[in-house]
Every structure is written in structure tokens, then in C-alpha cells.
Amino acid sequence: MKIVDIRATTVAVPLEAPLRHSNGAHWGRFVRTIVEVEADNGLVGLGEMGGGGESAEAAFSALMPYLRGHDPFQLEALRFKIANPTASLYNNRTQLLAAIEFACIDLIGQQLGVPASDLLGGRLRDSVPFASYLFYRYAAEGYTEVRTPDQLVEHTRELKAAHGFTVHKLKGGVFPPDFELECYRALAAAFPGDRLRYDPNAVLSVAEGLRFGRAIEGLNNEYLEDPVWGLEGLRVIREQVRVPLATNTVVVNFEQLASNVLRRAADVVLLDTTFWGGIRPCVKAAGVCETFQLGVAVHSSGELGIQLATMLHLGAVLPNLTYAADAHYHQLRDDVIEGGKLAYADGGIAVPTGPGLGVRLDKDRVAQYAELYRELGGYPYDRDPGRPGWYAQVPNERFADPAVSVDVST
């Protein structure tokens, strides 16, 4: 089996509403690039990468001189062909590699007639649990804003009823820390039997991180994720706060993982199949974490069904996955895979059982959302449509005003 073609299509898939985060917002849609890798036997493997547009489509096309005739089974060779660590200093290709690796694993699974999880060591669970992943959001047609503690609790109640979540993660760093502490405590009071996570995306100062961390010590926390920026900042918080710390921002490769092992700053590493360059690096990293008693979770970077499938197959095979995975997925209105969105049940999503990744493209949906991307274009992830001219600093001091309701629909 040899690679004969690579096709990339950028799509914009609508969200229920614009989602706010510490560095900006998701402006009512996810922009993703869908990758199709065709082999000489007629099989097509699927990959996915965040962001995109013409530049991403061109970047994948530019990989053809590297990969024409490559055997998808040769996954280690693939890594060096695309992301040789010294050559890649000049053209960072980690996320390109991840999308191609997804597609190659999909091709191998289809060729052998087995699901990707069998190629990764065999599944230990048939369903992967997920956290609710709560965002402050602007109102949109059919969906109310989430800004106040009461709105947040009501939104969480609706998600719990619909999907069965028992773990709730609040994406913070939008409003002043004292206000978000009030919101977090409201969640704890409303759902006393459920577990909580807070993630301000590293924009708090060390002083604010310490203050916030100490204030939540008595709650049913799973972990405090990236309260401040950097391994050194996390170490300061970890030394003085009795809540496990997690990161997805500063342990995203093996050198950083080694540093965290030698001088522990984070207790939990969130593994992202895109950030780490594929599913297999995440499995390797989870093995290191198992050896050194670090917790692991599965990170979400705004996925559609193809990347979600990689997250499910990863979660299925990790023996030390003791935390529910993250997913933005329930925030989407639709998907580009056959059958539409994968369903939640009892707070989890079933691992696909078909060959390879176990999902296939719905060509009509791809065409529909490719056209929507051409119509709307991309958006600046690190800007907020409700705060023109604003941009985040690290640490941040210019938070949104929680007393102000903003209409971004026009």
C-alpha cells in the first residue's frame, strides 16, 4: 500500500453559540481542515487539523513530494520524513504530521479490517467518559448567554440532563478571578456529588493563582489546570496549594515531559493528539506518565468527528486514564461525518468499532461547510468579538466586565 494523493478541505462548522476564553473567543464556528490521504489500493484515510484555509490546504499539498509512494505502515519513518526535529525548526510541521498520522492509521486499520484501538494495543474500555466543558458564551439564535453564576448552573444542569456528565470543567480567565470563583463555588453547591475542574488558560498572575487555588481547596476538585503560565509558575502553585495541578500548555512534547518528571510542576498531563503530533506519541507519553505516577487525561482542541475518533481510540487503550476526557464536541451544531454527531450516553461516547478510525466523511456535509468557510472565512482565535481592540496579556489584568451583557449577533 502506497500513498498516491493528499487532499485538504477547510470547513467551518457552526457552534451553538460563540464561546469565550481567556485569550479571545471561538466566534460561533470551528474552522478545521479535513485531510484525505488516498492509497494505491483505493482506500482513503482521514485526518483533521485545527484552523486552516488556503494556507493549510497548500501546506498539505506541499507534503506530496515527501510522501508520494510512502507506505502508511511506516509510521516511524513518517515522523522523520515530515517532522525531523532539526529540519522542523525552520517549518514547524507537528500538526501537519498529526493529521497525516491519523489518516495513515485509518488506512492501516481499513487494510487489515481492524479498529485503530487494536493497532494501538487493544481497547481496555468501550466508552470514554467526558467532562462537560463549560464556557462563558454570548447568546446566539436558539441559545442563551452564559455569563452569571445562575446562568452557568442552569447551563450545566441542562448538559448533565442531556448527556449524563458527572465531571464539570469551567473554562475561565474571562472575568475577574473573584467573579469566576463565585461561579465555581456555585457549581460546587449545585452539584455536590460531581467533580470539578477550573482552567483559566494560564492568564492568572502567580499571586492570583495562589489565591484562587487556596480558595477552592475544600471543594470536590479533580485538578486546577494551567492557572499560570510556565513550568516554573506551576511549580510555585503546586508547592503551596493542596489541589492537583494539570497542564496542556507547557507539557506538549517529550523534552517538557522529562522536565516535569525531573522537577514536578504538574500532576496531570492532558494529552492532545494534534499538539503531540499524533495518536502514537500520546500513547508513548502516557507510558512515561504511568512509570512516574503522573495522571493523564485526553485534551480537546476543538475537534470535529475525525479528531474525536482519534481521542476515543486513544482513551480506549490507556490503562492509566483515570480522568474524564475533555471535548468541545457537545458545543457543535453538526459534524462532517456520516450519521452526524456521535452520541453521548451516560457521560461518555462509545469508541468506534469499524475499521481504522471508524468514521467516514459525509460528502454533502463537507461541501456545505466548505462553502460556509468560503463565505465566512476564518476568525482571530485570540480576539473577542464583544471587546473590539482588546487582546490578552499574560498575566492578564484586563478582564471582561461580568455586569455587562453584550450582543455580538450583528
Side-chain angles (χ1 to χ4, degrees):
M1 183 166 58
K2 306 294 183 184
I3 293 174
V4 296
D5 196 17
I6 300 172
R7 299 182 292 275
T9 306
T10 301
V11 297
V13 178
L15 293 161
E16 291 181 348
L19 306 175
R20 307 180 74 176
H21 53 76
S22 68
N23 297 301
H26 301 289
W27 291 38
R29 60 196 183 276
F30 278 158
V31 175
R32 309 289 290 179
T33 298
I34 307 302
V35 180
E36 299 173 84
V37 176
E38 184 175 351
D40 57 1
N41 57 5
L43 295 175
V44 176
L46 300 180
E48 178 183 329
M49 189 183 81
E54 297 81 356
S55 60
E57 293 172 1
F60 282 107
S61 295
L63 291 179
M64 274 306 295
Y66 293 82
L67 298 179
R68 184 178 287 109
H70 182 80
D71 182 347
F73 280 83
Q74 301 301 312
L75 293 170
E76 282 300 305
L78 178 77
R79 176 163 67 101
F80 286 99
K81 282 186 175 182
I82 297 179
N84 177 301
T86 55
S88 289
L89 290 171
Y90 301 95
N91 46 20
N92 189 346
R93 294 175 176 163
T94 300
Q95 295 198 25
L96 299 176
L97 169 62
I100 299 295
E101 190 239 43
F102 300 164
C104 285
I105 289 175
D106 193 22
L107 283 170
I108 295 169
Q110 292 179 64
Q111 174 79 354
L112 299 179
V114 299
S117 53
D118 283 1
L119 303 173
L120 300 168
R123 68 181 61 191
L124 298 172
R125 54 187 67 85
D126 295 321
S127 177
V128 175
F130 282 87
S132 61
Y133 217 171
L134 309 168
F135 283 78
Y136 299 107
R137 72 185 188 189
Y138 294 113
E141 184 178 355
Y143 297 93
T144 59
E145 72 170 352
V146 175
R147 175 177 48 88
T148 69
D150 288 345
Q151 289 170 337
L152 179 64
V153 167
E154 179 58 27
H155 178 51
T156 307
R157 202 180 307 281
E158 292 170 356
L159 290 175
K160 183 177 175 70
H163 303 305
F165 297 126
T166 59
V167 180
H168 309 293
K169 172 175 171 174
L170 176 59
K171 178 67 79 175
V174 176
F175 299 115
D178 284 346
F179 179 80
E180 294 197 348
L181 178 59
E182 180 185 351
C183 291
Y184 195 70
R185 284 173 167 161
L187 287 175
F191 306 99
D194 294 353
R195 289 162 291 160
L196 303 175
R197 306 169 181 175
Y198 175 70
D199 174 19
N201 271 131
V203 298
L204 301 184
S205 67
V206 169
E208 287 289 359
L210 286 170
R211 195 164 66 87
F212 194 102
R214 289 167 179 161
I216 67 171
E217 284 182 341
L219 304 182
N220 191 16
N221 305 291
E222 281 204 320
Y223 50 69
L224 175 59
E225 181 181 341
D226 286 315
V228 299
W229 174 252
L231 286 171
E232 293 303 323
L234 290 177
R235 286 187 184 106
V236 173
I237 306 298
R238 185 174 182 271
E239 288 170 356
Q240 300 183 56
V241 172
R242 293 177 299 171
V243 177
L245 291 195
T247 185
N248 80 274
T249 64
V250 290
V251 179
V252 292
N253 60 44
F254 287 94
E255 280 194 285
Q256 293 168 355
L257 180 57
S259 178
N260 190 60
V261 166
L262 291 169
R263 292 182 61 225
R264 187 163 301 191
D267 305 288
V268 182
V269 176
L270 278 69
L271 298 169
D272 186 298
T273 57
T274 287
F275 292 177
W276 281 80
I279 312 172
R280 293 173 70 252
C282 291
V283 174
K284 293 178 183 179
V288 175
C289 291
E290 182 180 23
T291 301
F292 291 98
Q293 294 296 299
L294 289 167
V296 299
V298 177
H299 181 253
S300 168
S301 49
E303 62 287 328
L304 302 180
I306 298 167
Q307 186 170 349
L308 178 67
T310 72
M311 296 159 59
L312 292 169
H313 287 290
L314 172 65
V317 304
L318 299 183
N320 52 333
L321 183 69
T322 56
Y323 294 97
D326 288 342
H328 294 73
Y329 196 65
H330 61 277
Q331 309 280 0
L332 286 165
R333 296 188 184 220
D334 200 3
D335 201 349
V336 295
I337 59 175
E338 289 181 351
K341 291 174 61 178
L342 299 177
Y344 286 89
D346 299 323
I349 301 178
V351 182
T353 57
L357 296 179
V359 297
R360 305 266 50 93
L361 287 180
D362 182 318
K363 297 294 186 181
D364 291 338
R365 282 186 166 101
V366 172
Q368 175 186 353
Y369 295 124
E371 178 60 31
L372 185 62
Y373 170 73
R374 287 190 288 270
E375 176 187 338
L376 298 178
Y379 61 85
Y381 168 88
D382 53 353
R383 295 295 185 271
D384 185 332
R387 289 191 279 173
W390 172 90
Y391 58 91
Q393 299 173 188
V394 178
N396 196 36
E397 296 178 343
R398 299 178 300 157
F399 294 99
D401 185 346
V404 176
S405 179
V406 179
D407 183 1
V408 299
S409 60
T410 56

